[in-house]
Amino acid sequence: MSANDETSVKPVDPAAVPKRRLRSGALMPAVGLGTFGSDHVGPGEVAAAVRGAAAVGYRHFDCASVYGNEDAVGGALAEILRGGIRREDIWVTSKVWNDKHGEQDLIASCRKSLADLRLDYLDLYLVHWPFPNFHPPGCDVSSRSPNAQPYIHANYMKTWRAMEALVDMRLVRHIGTSNMTVPKLELVLRDARIKPAVNEMELHPHFQQPELFKFVVDNGVQPVGYCPLGSPGRPERDRTSEDTSPMEDPVIVAIAERHGVHPAAVCIKWAVQRGQSPIPFSINPRNYAANLRAVVSDPLTDDEMRAIAAIDRNCRLIKGQVFLWKDKQSWQDLWDVGGKITPV
Ligand SMILES: NC(=O)c1ccc[n+]([C@@H]2O[C@H](COP(=O)([O-])OP(=O)(O)OC[C@H]3O[C@@H](n4cnc5c(N)ncnc54)[C@H](OP(=O)(O)O)[C@@H]3O)[C@@H](O)[C@H]2O)c1
């Protein structure tokens, strides 16, 4: 490692990292480390990043059973805790996969994530997608679950009741949603006994989702932003020729040059200053350290924030085609673009 590398992985004081206060009053670190290896980064490398990220000051880790690495990540978390970081000082999220939406399956899946992650509770547990449609890891864009279904609110609420039971059982502290839309969330907020603490959603300068963002904030739901850098390493199934790259946007590049940082740092600063919680993935110590350092120094100006607000391209990268339930559908059908839940 060169002297320059050593400077760039200098730790950040976790106390200096902004926190988000959730509706329960709990505080969640505003930046987390993503752990999805995008079908090409193996569990060992992700676990090493978790260990390294904790050493440079990360205290928030975004996990999921479908990432296929919770056992390795759990080994890293156990080491982190053995090393003297207290359990209450880390925030661990996991998610139930689409084929485990039934009550018993969901509870068993949560227990499996807890066992793999070597934890006795999760800070946050999410319903990963609002569709019970399975796709195997590494599948291509044409893959469909044979029994694929649309969003059926009554079924989602059965899943949500099991999520609420996990809170009652003290296996999880908070529950939340992911990949939701305004009309779906309106129903869940109406019917939930325990309302979602967060909604995890794609958020980056080219996909700002202003309407959904405002809706969740107005309803006391913390937005967590995935693919905050535009996911340059995302799986092949999630790439189309229309996709754009926020880190290459001339506005982001110019702001980065002005601040003397990588465009990634600008995306992360913007995300945290706007109010979402980005969860950038990286296995590169220089990159994950820089992503965290971005939020404790040299904030963007109001003019820069306005300039970034103006480059939204409504460019969704994770389109979710593999979750479609009928032939001849468009991926837009998953996202209720007309403001109403797409009918069966
Ligand atoms: N709820 C959901 O449905 C959902 C969906 C997608 C993702 N997620 C979560 O969100 C996390 C983040 O999304 P993502 O992993 O798709 O995309 P991302 O964080 O936008 O991008 C990660 C990529 O950016 C590179 N990178 C990171 N920091 C960098 C830096 N400072 N400079 C240059 N390149 C940098 C990484 O490469 P290096 O490793 O080389 O640094 C990696 O290829 C996931 O890991 C997962 O936890 C959730």
Side-chain angles (χ1 to χ4, degrees):
M1 194 183 276
S2 72
N4 188 33
D5 285 338
E6 277 171 27
T7 319
S8 52
V9 295
K10 212 171 106 224
V12 168
D13 177 3
V17 175
K19 310 286 183 299
R20 303 296 186 210
R21 194 171 288 285
L22 305 183
R23 63 166 81 243
S24 67
L27 290 172
M28 177 180 80
V31 181
L33 184 79
T35 67
F36 176 37
S38 291
D39 300 345
H40 60 88
V41 180
E45 286 170 283
V46 175
V50 166
R51 268 193 301 275
V56 300
Y58 281 80
R59 294 293 180 267
H60 173 171
F61 303 95
D62 181 81
C63 309
S65 57
V66 77
Y67 300 163
N69 56 21
E70 285 192 326
D71 187 37
V73 168
L77 293 177
E79 263 182 59
I80 291 165
L81 296 176
R82 272 201 305 275
I85 296 175
R86 297 179 309 171
R87 172 65 186 91
E88 56 269 37
D89 291 334
I90 62 170
W91 181 277
V92 183
T93 299
S94 183
K95 313 181 190 90
V96 63
W97 188 237
N98 309 354
D99 58 343
K100 305 286 183 205
H101 279 194
E103 182 185 357
Q104 292 313 319
D105 283 348
L106 185 144
I107 291 171
S109 188
C110 179
R111 288 193 189 281
K112 167 93 167 70
S113 286
L114 284 168
D116 285 347
L117 292 167
R118 327 286 206 270
L119 300 174
D120 52 16
Y121 69 89
L122 291 166
D123 298 278
L124 176 64
Y125 200 49
L126 305 178
V127 181
H128 206 146
W129 286 83
F131 310 97
N133 305 341
F134 177 78
H135 78 76
C139 70
D140 73 27
V141 71
S142 63
S143 172
R144 298 286 180 273
S145 173
N147 306 314
Q149 288 176 29
Y151 179 81
I152 298 172
H153 181 61
N155 290 351
Y156 191 86
M157 285 313 298
K158 284 187 198 150
T159 300
W160 194 255
R161 297 290 174 235
M163 297 288 282
E164 293 173 332
L166 293 173
V167 178
D168 298 340
M169 293 158 77
R170 300 182 187 280
L171 295 179
V172 312
R173 297 269 162 101
H174 301 86
I175 52 179
T177 54
S178 179
N179 296 304
M180 292 292 267
T181 61
V182 170
K184 291 183 183 108
L185 271 172
E186 275 171 344
L187 297 179
V188 174
L189 285 162
R190 183 193 69 191
D191 294 341
R193 173 170 63 87
I194 302 176
K195 296 195 191 312
V198 318
N199 182 54
E200 194 164 304
M201 55 201 270
E202 182 177 331
L203 286 173
H204 48 78
H206 282 180
F207 193 57
Q208 303 188 16
Q209 304 213 59
E211 192 197 350
L212 179 57
F213 183 88
K214 181 174 184 322
F215 178 84
V216 297
V217 170
D218 288 351
N219 283 281
V221 179
Q222 171 63 41
V224 170
Y226 72 67
C227 304
L229 308 176
S231 194
R234 67 191 178 281
E236 225 24 73
R237 65 173 172 271
D238 292 321
R239 292 175 189 274
T240 69
S241 54
E242 297 90 63
D243 294 350
T244 59
S245 164
M247 288 200 282
E248 290 167 25
D249 189 291
V251 169
I252 300 288
V253 171
I255 295 173
E257 278 168 8
R258 212 152 48 234
H259 287 257
V261 294
H262 191 278
V266 175
C267 294
I268 301 296
K269 286 177 195 285
W270 168 78
V272 171
Q273 287 178 233
R274 184 187 189 219
Q276 64 240 30
S277 298
I279 44 171
F281 173 87
S282 177
I283 53 165
N284 177 324
R286 268 205 315 186
N287 289 351
Y288 56 68
N291 294 343
L292 189 63
R293 195 162 341 94
V295 303
V296 298
S297 58
D298 195 19
L300 303 180
T301 64
D302 291 346
D303 279 350
E304 289 167 339
M305 290 296 290
R306 274 192 290 275
I308 298 175
I311 60 167
D312 190 5
R313 294 185 178 203
N314 195 25
C315 177
R316 187 187 289 280
L317 299 172
I318 307 302
K319 298 173 181 67
Q321 291 95 329
V322 293
F323 305 119
L324 288 168
W325 61 92
K326 271 197 306 205
D327 286 344
K328 303 206 177 85
Q329 278 185 306
S330 142
W331 60 266
Q332 309 273 1
D333 291 329
L334 296 166
W335 302 103
D336 307 335
V337 282
K340 289 210 165 56
I341 295 176
T342 305
V344 178

